[in-house]
Amino acid sequence: MQMKFRTAVVIPYFQRKEGVLRKCVTSAIEQKGVEDFEIIIVDDVSPVTPESEIQDIMTTHPEKIRIIKQEKNMKQGRARNRALDELRPETEYVAFLDSDDEWTDDHLAHALFALDKGYDYYFTDHYQLHQSVSAFERSQKITIEDHPLIEGTDWLRVFSGDLFTQIIVGNLIGQSTLVYRAKKFPDIRYPIEFTITGEEYLFWMDLAKATDKVVFSTQCECRYGEGLNVYSATMWGHERAIEKIYDDMRYRKQIFERYELNDIERNELNHRISGLRESFVREVLHRLTHGMPTKKQEMINFIKMDPQALVAFVPGTLSALISMVKSKLGS
C-alpha cells in the first residue's frame, strides 16, 4: 500500500562540495514523532549529484525520498516552485530546507503540533552561518514576551502584530525554518528573476498578506551550514558582490509595486534603498581603486534600475579620495 504524505520537505539542491547534502537529508530523515512526510530534492543540475551523496539513505528509505531533475540550472526560486508544482494531492504542509542547513530532530514535530491547532505559517529561531548566538537574539528585533504562549508549551508563541511589517523593518524568518499550510495557498510561488536573494522575502510577504495565523518557536531548530551559501559568502570585494546588491535593491523596489504600504514600511524601505545605493558606489569605487575586474553590464543594469546611484558617485568618490590621501600620508 502506498504511503500517504501529509508533509513535504522541499530541498533545492546545487552543491560543488561533497557531504553537504548528506548532513541535510539526514537531519530531515531523523525527525522524531513524525512519519507521514516525504523529502523532495530538486536537483538543479548539481555538480555533486544527490544520488552520489545519499544513495544508501535512498535505499533504506525508498518511499521517503523523491528526486526531481531540472534540465538546466534554474536557481533556487524555480527549484522550489518545481517542487510546489509537483506536490502530491494529499500534501497539506510544506517545510523548506536548504541543502547546506540542518534541522534539530524536533523541528517538524513542533511545526505540525502548531499548525494542527489552526495556524498557517510557522518559523523558528535559528543559528545563522558561523554564529553561536541565535538569530532572534542577534537581531534584537522582537520582544518575545509580547507574543502569547501556546497553551501547554514554553517555546511556541502566537505572533502578535503585522508579520508583513516585521519582515520589512526587522526580518526574523530563516528560509530553512519555514513550514506552511500549502494546501490553503496553492498559488503562492517564488518570484524567479533573482539569482542570489529577494525571492524568499517576497514569498514570505505574500504569505503574510494571505494569513495572520502565524506561530513561531523560540527554540533554535535549524543551523545554517557551509555549502554553496551564496548570500553569506558574497561579502565585500567578492566577484558577485554587485549582483547581490542589485538583487537586494531590486526586490525592495518591487515591494513598492506589489503591495500597499504604510508610512513605517515606506520609510524603512527608502532607508534600506539609500544604504544599498551607497553600498553599490563603495563596491564600484573599491574595485576601480584596487585594480579589480568590473562587469560593465552589471553596473549599467544597476544604474538603469536606480538612476540616483549616479548622483551618489559624487560624494562617494570624494570620500574615497580622502581615504586614499589619509592612507598615503599615514604610510
Side-chain angles (χ1 to χ4, degrees), residues 4-148:
K4 295 287 187 179
F5 296 108
R6 188 175 177 223
T7 303
V9 178
V10 171
I11 303 175
Y13 177 60
F14 183 95
Q15 293 288 349
R16 295 191 177 94
K17 184 178 178 181
E18 295 180 353
V20 176
L21 181 65
R22 183 176 188 82
K23 292 179 181 178
C24 167
V25 172
T26 298
S27 79
I29 208 76
E30 291 182 349
Q31 291 297 294
K32 295 179 179 178
V34 182
E35 293 293 334
D36 54 346
F37 69 93
E38 70 168 336
I39 299 168
I40 304 174
I41 300 169
V42 183
D43 180 5
D44 207 20
V45 196
S46 175
V48 178
T49 67
E51 292 85 357
S52 68
E53 288 284 278
I54 58 166
Q55 187 60 61
D56 58 331
I57 300 176
M58 293 170 61
T59 299
T60 306
H61 304 277
E63 77 289 352
K64 281 280 186 118
I65 299 175
R66 177 159 50 118
I67 296 177
I68 298 174
K69 297 283 188 180
Q70 299 277 67
E71 293 183 1
K72 61 180 181 178
N73 181 259
M74 303 290 282
K75 308 303 179 187
Q76 289 197 126
R78 284 188 174 93
R80 294 187 186 109
N81 287 346
R82 177 78 183 274
L84 295 177
D85 290 342
E86 298 192 23
L87 294 177
R88 300 182 191 276
E90 70 270 19
T91 298
E92 184 172 1
Y93 302 132
V94 166
F96 293 103
L97 179 59
D98 284 352
S99 61
D100 38 18
D101 299 338
E102 297 174 68
W103 285 339
T104 58
D105 60 12
D106 52 7
H107 174 60
L108 280 186
H110 286 176
L112 300 190
F113 174 81
L115 295 173
D116 281 347
K117 290 183 175 295
Y119 297 96
D120 298 323
Y121 196 138
Y122 178 86
F123 64 94
T124 83
D125 201 355
H126 54 286
Y127 292 110
Q128 294 164 320
L129 187 63
H130 303 315
Q131 295 296 329
S132 57
V133 179
S134 81
F136 286 8
E137 187 175 350
R138 289 180 67 230
S139 72
Q140 296 293 302
K141 296 293 186 180
I142 185 171
T143 302
I144 299 297
E145 293 72 23
D146 290 345
H147 306 269

Side-chain angles (χ1 to χ4, degrees), residues 292-307:
M292 298 172 66
T294 57
K295 298 177 183 178
K296 292 182 179 178
Q297 192 58 51
E298 279 188 348
M299 295 169 59
I300 292 170
N301 290 342
F302 192 98
I303 291 168
K304 282 183 177 179
M305 175 185 62
D306 186 59

Side-chain angles (χ1 to χ4, degrees), residues 139 141-142 165-173 268 272:
S139 72
K141 296 293 186 180
I142 185 171
T165 302
Q166 180 75 57
I167 294 168
I168 291 175
V169 302
N171 177 58
L172 302 167
I173 303 170
E268 180 65 27
R272 298 290 181 95

Side-chain angles (χ1 to χ4, degrees), residues 84-246:
L84 295 177
D85 290 342
E86 298 192 23
L87 294 177
R88 300 182 191 276
E90 70 270 19
T91 298
E92 184 172 1
Y93 302 132
V94 166
F96 293 103
L97 179 59
D98 284 352
S99 61
D100 38 18
D101 299 338
E102 297 174 68
W103 285 339
T104 58
D105 60 12
D106 52 7
H107 174 60
L108 280 186
H110 286 176
L112 300 190
F113 174 81
L115 295 173
D116 281 347
K117 290 183 175 295
Y119 297 96
D120 298 323
Y121 196 138
Y122 178 86
F123 64 94
T124 83
D125 201 355
H126 54 286
Y127 292 110
Q128 294 164 320
L129 187 63
H130 303 315
Q131 295 296 329
S132 57
V133 179
S134 81
F136 286 8
E137 187 175 350
R138 289 180 67 230
S139 72
Q140 296 293 302
K141 296 293 186 180
I142 185 171
T143 302
I144 299 297
E145 293 72 23
D146 290 345
H147 306 269
L149 280 165
I150 289 183
E151 187 177 354
T153 79
D154 60 4
W155 70 93
L156 291 177
R157 292 183 178 266
V158 179
F159 187 86
S160 177
D162 190 329
L163 184 60
F164 179 86
T165 302
Q166 180 75 57
I167 294 168
I168 291 175
V169 302
N171 177 58
L172 302 167
I173 303 170
Q175 177 61 36
S176 290
T177 77
L178 174 63
V179 188
Y180 80 110
R181 193 181 300 274
K183 183 165 278 191
K184 186 174 178 179
F185 311 104
D187 299 324
I188 295 181
R189 292 292 185 273
Y190 289 84
I192 59 175
E193 63 267 35
F194 301 93
T195 58
I196 292 182
T197 188
E199 80 281 352
E200 67 274 41
Y201 287 88
L202 296 174
F203 185 88
W204 304 336
M205 289 180 184
D206 283 347
L207 275 178
K209 285 292 188 183
T211 182
D212 59 1
K213 297 177 179 179
V214 181
V215 63
F216 67 93
S217 170
T218 57
Q219 290 191 7
C220 288
E221 297 179 9
C222 181
R223 182 176 291 277
Y224 284 16
E226 183 121 41
L228 195 68
N229 194 323
V230 179
Y231 188 86
S232 296
T234 311
M235 306 300 287
W236 179 260
H238 189 279
E239 62 179 356
R240 297 184 69 184
I242 292 177
E243 183 182 352
K244 174 183 175 181
I245 298 168
Y246 179 82

